[in-house]
Each structure stands twice: as C-alpha cells, then as structure tokens.
Amino acid sequence: EVQLVESGGGLVQPGGSLRLSCAASGFTFGSYDMSWVRQAPGKGPEWVSAINSGGGTTYYADSVKGRFTISRDNAKNTLYLQMNSLKPEDTAVYYCATGDSSSWYDGSWGQGTQVTVSS
C-alpha cells in the first residue's frame, strides 16, 4: 500500500522559509517521478513542482520558480520542498504525490501539511 506522509508545515511570516518533507513507503520510491501539489482555501489543487525518479531533473510552476526547490533522497525514501521568500498567496495545504507535472492528479497523495504565510 502506497503511503505518503508530509510534515514541516506551519505558520511563517512573509519572506520566511519552510522545508517540507514527505516520507514514502509501500512502493519503490526511487522508480517514481514525484510532485508537490497545493490547494488553497476555496480553490482547486495546483501543481507546484516535480522531480524525476533519479533526482536530476526538476520542474516548477511559474508562481514558485526561483523561490522553491524540490529535492529527494532515494536512500531515505523522502521527498523535500524548500520554500524561501514565502508570500501570503503561498498559503495552502501542501501534498506530495506520485507522478510528474502531467500525471500527478491521478497519482497517490499524502494527507497534506498546512502552510500559512501571515504577519
């Protein structure tokens, strides 16, 4: 059974940073492309970033490019999202998901972690 458990969310002031983690189990993590997805209150899910199975290629939505960095440690079965220069519009529940920028919607998702950017 695929399990994805996100952590690292919280309340942060505008301009601050957070690092999200996603612990994966129940599947061969190192064989899957992975994504981060977010959902703001009252809005649909938005793809944020993706990384290929080997970790050598990354992709970002324009809204986070230059501020967020996706990475993975296949030895630890863990996906990361380093978020810098956070803005109030980054407030959302963040999910990790199996799949790339075009297949994440039909992949497996974790339970999410709340990120709130507010002064």
Side-chain angles (χ1 to χ4, degrees), residues 13 16 51 83 102 105-106 117:
Q13 292 187 340
I51 188 167
M83 306 187 295
S102 59
Y105 196 85
D106 293 322
V117 185

Side-chain angles (χ1 to χ4, degrees), residues 5-87:
V5 179
E6 301 91 339
S7 61
L11 173 63
V12 62
Q13 292 187 340
S17 297
L18 281 174
R19 189 193 195 202
L20 305 184
S21 297
C22 171
S25 62
F27 66 108
T28 308
F29 178 73
S31 296
Y32 280 74
D33 297 341
M34 295 293 296
S35 287
W36 285 99
V37 179
R38 67 187 181 185
Q39 187 163 16
K43 296 187 177 181
E46 174 193 18
W47 173 81
V48 172
S49 181
I51 188 167
N52 73 334
S53 58
T57 306
T58 57
Y59 306 89
Y60 299 94
D62 288 344
S63 57
V64 306
K65 198 171 294 183
R67 301 187 298 121
F68 289 12
T69 302
I70 190 171
S71 62
R72 66 192 296 162
D73 185 336
N74 285 347
K76 294 183 178 180
N77 287 352
T78 304
L79 179 72
Y80 303 101
L81 185 68
Q82 177 67 45
M83 306 187 295
N84 298 330
S85 303
L86 283 161
K87 305 175 181 179

